Amino acid sequence: MAKLEFPQKGIPRKEILSTMQSMKKDDSDWKHGRMFSLIFNAGEDVARVAEEAYAAFMVENGLSPFAFPSLLKMETEVASMMADLLGGDENTVGNMTSGGSESIMVAVKAARDYARAKTPQITQPELLMPLSAHPAFNKAAHYLGLKTVIVPTDKKTLMANVGAMRNAITQNTIMMVGSAPSYPHGIIDPIADLAEIAREKEIWMHVDACVGGLDLPFIEKLGYPIPNFDFRIPGVCSMTADIHKYGFTPKGASVVLYRSSELRQFQIFAYTDWPGGVYATPNVSGSRPGGPIASAWATIKYLGTEGYMKLVKMSIEATRRIIEEIRTIPELYVLSEPLSTVFAIGSDVLNIFALGEKMKEYHWYIDSQHLPPCLHMTISPVHAGITEQFITDLRSAVKDVAKLRPEDITGEAALYGMIGSMPDRGMAKDFAVQFMNDLYRVH
Ligand SMILES: *Cc1c(COP(=O)(O)O)cnc(C)c1O
């Protein structure tokens, strides 16, 4: 018998909902801006529009553009509006997917199948990426049978190292990746330089703007310096941008864009000999929820450039303010020179994971990162209202942690330090797999 029996009798609606509400009691408090990852919070009014649009199309299935032309219209319009925002033109095409990972998966598939068609002599295709690129590329390469070639980032700037990337190109390189910005440290890679090399070597260049796609364009419009990172650069073949991040819509919404439909055709999978009919789909998933498509369309229409600029102004000003204060705390530093609303905090003298743990006592939840050890900060508009409290608490927590002895550092801080410093990376991976394997069962 399983740990939990399949229920015999139904339970009344009210009871179910109240049970679920009580399940939330241990969840992180995102509503009040106490987290710096996972949630992108633009406040109540935006959430309401997204929620209503989501509910209105919750049941419709994006798998069939013929049954639900409304979803086809909204999806293609979202892709087109995003193309406009990201320097595309009338030839730029795209699709919506369930998230950054799926967008990346299908972009890598498109690049792989493009290479298969154009350069069939390549039998061991390689995906060239800086160390800071998102693991969704490692995952896509793993699923799709590509070899990853991972190039260390520049020690000082944490940007993709252009010279080293060039040197790592082989006869088998079919795709090159840059981030705008990278998730861990919020650093924009030198996309123009990378794209030029890619063009010269006839390699597919992809820009991952999953977190930056609806952030950088508005920061730039506000007058902050942002280097070109999008389709304005000639060698860029494809881009990914998540609407469920700085687009402020519920999870399940991202776009993948291509310079032309000639490139996009390689994304699409078709099987025509199935008794169920002709089966053709651009996505990894088959059935696709209408909710995320509808809420993405509605939120973009509701906010428009002016609405997004107002929100991004709040988050970029909060970011600048927090960074400015961190730079006055001698024990801490900000990694490299982040230009957007994503950055990381490091220290040469304190155990940074212990600082993250200490901040929990002040009710702030900050993700730990390693290689090098640091804390991750993704700033949302809602953080504008709590910036000063955060700074005050951070200063206190730094003082608390400075007093700790090494043996005082336990719990998650110690665990994180351990996985990061395991010399055998295979062992670290096995540990992570077994941890997840054990976690996902009813205890
Ligand atoms: C979030 C993110 C991804 C992955 O997106 P998911 O929606 O979590 O699948 C990929 N790249 C970057 C730069 C990201 O920030």
Side-chain angles (χ1 to χ4, degrees):
M1 205 168 74
K3 287 257 167 72
L4 200 65
E5 270 178 56
F6 195 87
Q8 193 63 40
K9 279 193 164 61
I11 298 173
R13 178 177 149 266
K14 276 220 171 101
E15 199 179 314
I16 291 169
L17 291 176
S18 72
T19 305
M20 288 197 299
Q21 279 306 327
S22 69
M23 282 181 186
K24 283 193 173 191
K25 73 180 191 318
D26 296 328
D27 288 356
S28 302
D29 174 14
W30 57 270
K31 281 202 172 143
H32 303 97
R34 291 278 164 174
M35 300 177 72
F36 297 94
S37 65
L38 300 169
I39 304 287
F40 295 73
N41 190 344
E44 294 278 329
D45 66 321
V46 182
R48 184 127 100 245
V49 172
E51 183 179 355
E52 284 173 0
Y54 198 107
F57 286 87
M58 185 176 76
V59 177
E60 280 78 357
N61 188 345
L63 178 60
S64 175
F66 308 109
F68 304 109
S70 57
L71 292 179
L72 175 66
K73 182 174 162 62
M74 286 191 280
E75 176 172 349
T76 50
E77 289 188 5
V78 165
S80 184
M81 292 186 285
M82 288 304 295
D84 184 50
L85 189 65
L86 296 171
D89 59 23
E90 69 279 7
N91 295 318
T92 316
V93 292
N95 286 86
M96 288 189 68
T97 74
S98 61
S101 299
E102 191 186 356
S103 288
I104 288 167
M105 183 76 68
V106 295
V108 174
K109 182 221 178 282
R112 183 197 67 177
D113 290 357
Y114 176 84
R116 276 183 182 169
K118 305 281 168 171
T119 48
Q121 73 278 10
I122 297 177
T123 55
Q124 311 259 293
E126 291 174 7
L127 167 57
L128 181 60
M129 57 194 260
L131 179 66
S132 53
H134 195 277
F137 290 99
N138 307 72
K139 192 183 196 176
H142 181 74
Y143 282 16
L144 293 163
L146 272 70
K147 181 182 160 194
T148 51
V149 177
I150 299 164
V151 179
T153 44
D154 182 275
K155 284 215 159 54
K156 202 162 145 267
T157 64
L158 298 173
M159 287 179 192
N161 182 331
V162 176
M165 291 282 280
R166 176 193 280 278
N167 291 340
I169 293 172
T170 74
Q171 296 292 324
N172 293 327
T173 310
I174 62 141
M175 187 182 201
M176 193 155 130
V177 171
S179 309
S182 67
Y183 177 81
H185 315 123
I187 300 303
I188 305 171
D189 286 326
I191 303 297
D193 297 342
L194 295 175
E196 191 165 318
I197 298 170
R199 210 146 76 114
E200 181 194 318
K201 304 269 184 189
E202 298 185 6
I203 295 166
W204 182 302
M205 175 76 205
H206 180 88
V207 176
D208 182 15
C210 273
V211 71
L214 280 147
D215 195 32
L216 298 181
F218 302 114
I219 296 175
E220 188 180 345
K221 285 183 210 299
L222 285 165
Y224 292 86
I226 299 287
N228 269 2
F229 66 95
D230 56 20
F231 285 113
R232 286 171 291 182
I233 297 167
V236 174
C237 299
S238 56
M239 291 189 71
T240 39
D242 291 347
I243 306 174
H244 66 205
K245 289 184 181 158
Y246 282 112
F248 307 115
T249 73
K251 260 34 125 203
S254 172
V255 288
V256 54
L257 300 170
Y258 300 86
R259 183 168 288 283
S260 70
S261 57
E262 199 233 324
L263 299 180
R264 196 261 299 269
Q265 64 179 312
F266 294 99
Q267 178 190 328
I268 297 161
F269 171 85
Y271 182 66
T272 52
D273 300 324
W274 182 46
V278 172
Y279 191 94
T281 155
N283 292 75
V284 174
S285 42
S287 292
R288 284 203 283 152
I293 298 173
S295 62
W297 189 89
T299 307
I300 291 173
K301 290 280 188 186
Y302 174 70
L303 286 170
T305 298
E306 287 177 7
Y308 278 111
M309 279 176 73
K310 265 193 204 137
L311 293 168
V312 169
K313 188 166 188 291
M314 292 166 79
S315 39
I316 189 76
E317 283 174 1
T319 305
R320 296 281 119 210
R321 174 90 187 102
I322 294 171
I323 288 179
E324 177 187 279
E325 283 291 323
I326 288 171
R327 287 189 170 142
T328 69
I329 303 177
E331 291 89 345
L332 302 182
Y333 59 85
V334 170
L335 278 74
S336 183
E337 297 286 336
L339 299 177
S340 75
T341 52
V342 178
F343 64 98
I345 309 171
S347 176
D348 287 335
V349 291
L350 295 182
N351 182 316
I352 200 76
F353 302 139
L355 181 65
E357 282 295 292
K358 183 58 71 179
M359 283 298 275
K360 283 187 191 161
E361 290 173 21
Y362 293 87
H363 307 291
W364 299 100
Y365 298 87
I366 318 178
D367 278 348
S368 293
Q369 303 185 134
H370 64 179
L371 313 167
C374 56
L375 299 176
H376 177 90
M377 300 286 290
T378 289
I379 305 298
S380 283
V382 72
H383 291 130
I386 44 100
T387 307
E388 300 312 315
Q389 187 61 52
F390 178 78
I391 292 164
T392 304
D393 291 346
L394 186 66
R395 286 185 184 280
S396 304
V398 164
K399 290 213 179 83
D400 299 342
V401 172
K403 288 187 211 126
L404 295 179
R405 295 159 304 167
E407 59 269 32
D408 297 331
I409 295 168
T410 54
E412 245 178 82
L415 182 75
Y416 222 88
M418 182 197 71
I419 299 176
S421 58
M422 274 184 185
D424 182 342
R425 301 318 287 160
M427 222 165 103
K429 183 177 147 179
D430 289 346
F431 181 86
V433 169
Q434 286 317 320
F435 184 86
M436 293 304 273
N437 200 13
D438 197 47
L439 182 68
Y440 279 91
R441 52 196 181 91
V442 175
H443 284 276

